[in-house]
Amino acid sequence: MTSIGTGYDLSASTYSPDGRIFQVEYAGKAVENSGTAIGLKVKDGVVLAVEKLVHSKLLVPDANRRIQTVDRHIGLATAGLLADGRNISNRARDEASSYRDIYRSPAPLKAIIDRLGLYVQAYTLYSSVRPFGISTILGGVDENGPSLYVVEPSGVFFGYNGAAIGKGRQLAKTELEKLKLNELSMREAVMEAARIIYLVHDDAKEKDFELEISWIGPESNYTHVHVPKDLFNEAEAQAKAALETFE
């Protein structure tokens, strides 16, 4: 049974006769039209990487980053509508700050994810708002070790060893499944992340893009930061070489 075009997609608070909320599904389509973002949970840390599509040559390089810091030990990457991603990152920072104020300790990533999932899900309940048009990968290292989660537009979230969202997620997931993630070092994960982003971008033959990579672990003193420039350049060069070999 299909209900598209019969009025059931006009509000996020209306179910179709077959139990679907079309506004949430449309939000998922917005994510699929975005550049790819991936996350890798390896033996001693987490690596995030993003394919940021460049829509104009006039844009300032490194502006409007899609990878952002939530707390010292937590980072996030988004795929979908950029402004929605900024809203979510600000909310995540508020939750991390609130946890610190109350418990006087850094927030475990699971606590942030629980609160963020509830926040995103609340936007699927009311006719006066629309669901967020993004999926979000959050990675961090806390007292429980490295962890990686994805929050979907519906508010549902799952823990992952390797995650991919955005336009090239299927190919990226296939490549991630080939890796022995729990055996990789952070530097090896950076190389693999760059290779996968270049591979999925080439497969789509999209516009120019900027590669963003960040990490959290012993290499970064357990702080979420973008990878050092020398390592970034090495990873990008290896990714381009691997792509030429693949072709």
Side-chain angles (χ1 to χ4, degrees):
M1 178 191 296
T2 180
S3 308
I4 295 176
T6 57
Y8 295 107
D9 58 353
L10 298 178
S11 166
S13 61
T14 305
Y15 284 97
S16 72
D18 46 349
R20 295 159 64 187
I21 300 176
F22 287 114
Q23 290 272 322
V24 174
E25 294 182 21
Y26 297 163
K29 293 294 182 185
V31 175
E32 291 174 15
N33 291 331
S34 169
T36 309
I38 62 173
L40 294 79
K41 185 180 81 171
V42 294
K43 62 183 178 183
D44 54 357
V46 172
V47 173
L48 303 175
V50 163
E51 169 204 19
K52 189 178 78 177
L53 299 176
V54 177
H55 301 290
S56 171
K57 293 180 180 178
L58 301 176
L59 289 171
V60 177
D62 297 328
N64 292 323
R65 289 188 180 274
R66 294 245 315 274
I67 292 178
Q68 303 191 52
T69 299
V70 173
D71 202 342
R72 293 191 194 100
H73 62 298
I74 300 173
L76 66 75
T78 60
L81 304 178
L82 192 61
D84 285 13
R86 196 171 295 117
N87 185 311
I88 288 294
S89 64
N90 286 336
R91 177 70 183 201
R93 288 187 193 113
D94 289 344
E95 296 291 1
S97 175
S98 172
Y99 191 98
R100 277 182 183 270
D101 289 344
I102 296 169
Y103 298 104
R104 303 297 177 187
S105 66
L109 181 55
K110 183 64 166 64
I112 300 297
I113 282 291
D114 279 333
R115 297 180 182 188
L116 206 57
L118 287 170
Y119 177 69
V120 172
Q121 193 261 343
Y123 276 70
T124 69
L125 300 176
Y126 307 104
S127 59
S128 56
V129 296
R130 65 163 174 77
F132 288 103
I134 58 160
S135 286
T136 309
I137 300 176
L138 286 101
V141 181
D142 51 33
E143 67 266 23
N144 300 314
S147 50
L148 187 74
Y149 292 87
V150 175
V151 183
E152 302 290 354
S154 62
V156 69
F157 57 86
F158 295 101
Y160 287 91
N161 290 314
I165 55 178
K167 186 174 291 187
R169 71 190 186 290
Q170 291 296 348
L171 178 56
K173 283 179 181 176
T174 301
E175 291 298 315
L176 287 169
E177 286 169 0
K178 296 176 184 176
L179 303 175
K180 294 181 178 178
L181 292 168
N182 59 353
E183 297 178 9
L184 291 181
S185 70
M186 286 181 65
R187 286 182 175 266
E188 290 169 338
V190 168
M191 300 299 173
E192 292 293 349
R195 180 185 65 81
I196 290 170
I197 291 293
Y198 265 87
L199 183 63
V200 298
H201 178 81
D202 187 67
D203 187 62
K205 299 293 183 190
E206 265 293 342
K207 305 173 182 176
D208 292 339
F209 80 102
E210 289 179 15
L211 176 65
E212 289 183 46
I213 308 179
S214 69
W215 60 1
I216 316 140
E219 294 268 8
S220 66
N221 198 26
Y222 296 100
T223 302
H224 177 251
V225 293
H226 282 75
V227 297
K229 196 65 179 174
D230 57 340
L231 179 60
F232 177 87
N233 291 337
E234 182 186 348
E236 202 166 35
Q238 283 196 20
K240 290 175 181 176
L243 197 60
E244 290 170 5
T245 305
F246 179 76
E247 289 173 348

